[in-house]
Amino acid sequence: MEDFISKKTARKTGIPDLVEVLRKQLSSSELSSLLLEVYQQKSEDLHAAALLQQYRQNIYVQPADTDMVEMLEKELQLLRFLRQQQYEPVELSPVAQFGSCAAVGTVNQKKIITAVRHTEVLADATNSLALHIADMKQQGIGAGERLRYCTVHRHVRAMQLPPGKGYTPHFKIACMAAAGRDTGNFEFELSTCTEQLQHIYTLLHTLFGIKIIYFKIQPRNGYSNGRALMQSLMDYLSAHLPYKIIADETPAENNYYKGIQFKAVVQAGEHEIEIADGGLVDWTQQLLGNNKERCFISGIGFSLLMKLFNA
């Protein structure tokens, strides 16, 4: 696709390798200024009738079909509960720093709606929470402490929608992110995973009256001594949580999480669905250049919950 677009652009403009020229010869600020000028001029050519037609054809700008009042009420309950559990709510910006997902993870930038002024439409709130945490740590705020944050945020992703009625490219996810230092014996990993599983179970039961059938724990690459971590986590969860926990060692391509990933499975009609997801990531390690940093994230499909369990 990239080669096709590059060739098409070169053919229409008569400028060979235009994409490479823009990428290499212009700084980020210069490219942003150029795009701003281009869009400014294109906006001047846009008429109201065309605007309406484009609105109808653009899936990214259509409203969601959830009950807004009910959703906000449940969001407030969720954030109040998590604040009681020492997860501080944060209201993130609608846009994220450019590269927030691609620079530290394995997300293709084409799945993100890239904007100008060095930004992108927020596609993963946990990345923004990790950036916030790393910035605080670099400033010496919360040094030596375990930092916990949460949010409920509308995400927008440029992706192919799954089949089924009601899916939109923008949706709300309730997120948690906790960060700390490695203190040995997997203490951070075990305790943080346990507390986030507990919070997810409680929230689903309290807000939507549903119970998780089981939590699925999956080993992931990219973590030293990952096999020992997986075994220690299974033993720890079995001793500390009264829920069904299963180990799923089915091979899967996943470079997003490091060491472990979990999924929460619930019953929706005749089907089992994965309604929450989380695990260890190395984002704060990369951002701060310190392999002792640890970060555990999780997300709950809030919009999907509203569609399936709020009738």
Side-chain angles (χ1 to χ4, degrees):
M1 178 62 72
E2 181 180 355
D3 186 59
F4 169 77
I5 294 173
S6 299
K7 289 180 178 178
K8 181 179 179 181
T9 304
R11 185 172 63 251
K12 294 186 73 172
T13 61
I15 305 175
D17 302 322
L18 176 61
V19 174
E20 284 297 298
V21 171
L22 293 174
R23 182 173 71 90
K24 292 182 177 180
Q25 300 300 320
L26 296 183
S27 67
S28 295
S29 296
E30 291 169 336
L31 180 58
S32 181
S33 297
L34 174 63
L35 292 173
L36 281 169
E37 181 60 28
V38 171
Y39 280 116
Q40 167 63 31
Q41 294 189 23
K42 288 184 75 69
S43 71
E44 293 174 356
D45 298 331
L46 187 61
H47 300 291
L51 177 64
L52 179 58
Q53 183 180 15
Q54 291 176 11
Y55 169 79
R56 288 173 176 167
Q57 296 173 347
N58 192 343
I59 61 173
Y60 297 108
V61 300
Q62 302 298 321
D65 60 355
T66 48
D67 184 326
M68 183 178 180
V69 174
E70 184 67 22
M71 175 171 277
L72 289 174
E73 288 176 345
K74 289 191 182 300
E75 284 180 34
L76 187 57
Q77 293 177 56
L78 179 145
L79 293 172
R80 281 176 171 161
F81 169 79
L82 289 178
R83 185 167 60 183
Q84 292 173 355
Q85 314 307 317
Q86 285 75 55
Y87 276 81
E88 185 63 28
V90 177
E91 185 171 7
L92 297 172
S93 168
V95 295
Q97 182 64 37
F98 172 73
S100 291
C101 296
V104 295
T106 56
V107 179
N108 190 315
Q109 190 64 30
K110 290 181 179 179
K111 296 181 179 179
I112 313 298
I113 298 180
T114 304
V116 292
R117 293 189 170 93
H118 316 298
T119 63
E120 61 190 38
V121 178
L122 194 145
D124 191 334
T126 55
N127 287 84
S128 291
L129 289 176
L131 266 173
H132 177 60
I133 289 170
D135 183 49
M136 292 183 64
K137 281 175 167 284
Q138 195 169 68
Q139 295 181 59
I141 302 172
E145 300 177 12
R146 187 170 299 186
L147 301 178
R148 298 176 175 90
Y149 293 99
C150 66
T151 193
V152 179
H153 203 286
R154 185 161 294 276
H155 296 58
V156 188
R157 295 176 184 170
M159 62 183 188
Q160 184 175 355
L161 297 179
K165 183 180 179 181
Y167 287 103
T168 61
H170 62 87
F171 44 86
K172 283 194 174 180
I173 298 179
C175 304
M176 287 181 279
R181 284 292 190 94
D182 175 29
T183 56
N185 299 317
F186 307 127
E187 191 277 330
F188 173 87
E189 294 86 339
L190 302 184
S191 61
T192 308
C193 181
T194 301
E195 71 181 26
Q196 292 195 13
L197 295 188
Q198 285 179 314
H199 300 339
I200 290 170
Y201 189 96
T202 301
L203 285 167
L204 292 182
H205 180 62
T206 302
L207 296 183
F208 295 94
I210 58 176
K211 290 186 178 181
I212 292 172
I213 305 173
Y214 57 87
F215 286 105
K216 180 165 52 178
I217 309 297
Q218 301 167 300
R220 294 292 177 243
N221 296 325
Y223 187 97
S224 60
N225 209 10
R227 180 61 58 181
L229 170 61
M230 179 71 178
Q231 186 58 57
S232 296
L233 180 61
M234 290 301 297
D235 293 341
Y236 192 89
L237 293 176
S238 298
H240 289 80
L241 295 180
Y243 321 133
K244 182 179 180 181
I245 311 286
I246 67 171
D248 177 12
E249 303 204 19
T250 305
E253 252 187 69
N254 187 313
N255 296 318
Y256 186 89
Y257 293 105
K258 305 297 180 183
I260 54 171
Q261 177 183 4
F262 79 83
K263 293 181 179 179
V265 180
V266 299
Q267 191 76 32
E270 299 179 355
H271 304 285
E272 292 183 0
I273 63 169
E274 296 169 352
I275 201 64
D277 173 82
L280 279 169
V281 292
D282 64 354
W283 303 339
T284 52
Q285 289 183 16
Q286 294 185 61
L287 292 166
L288 295 168
N290 190 329
N291 289 334
K292 287 289 187 180
E293 293 291 339
R294 295 290 183 267
C295 185
F296 199 100
I297 64 168
S298 60
I300 306 172
F302 211 70
S303 289
L304 187 57
L305 281 167
M306 292 295 295
K307 292 176 187 291
L308 295 177
F309 300 103
N310 201 49

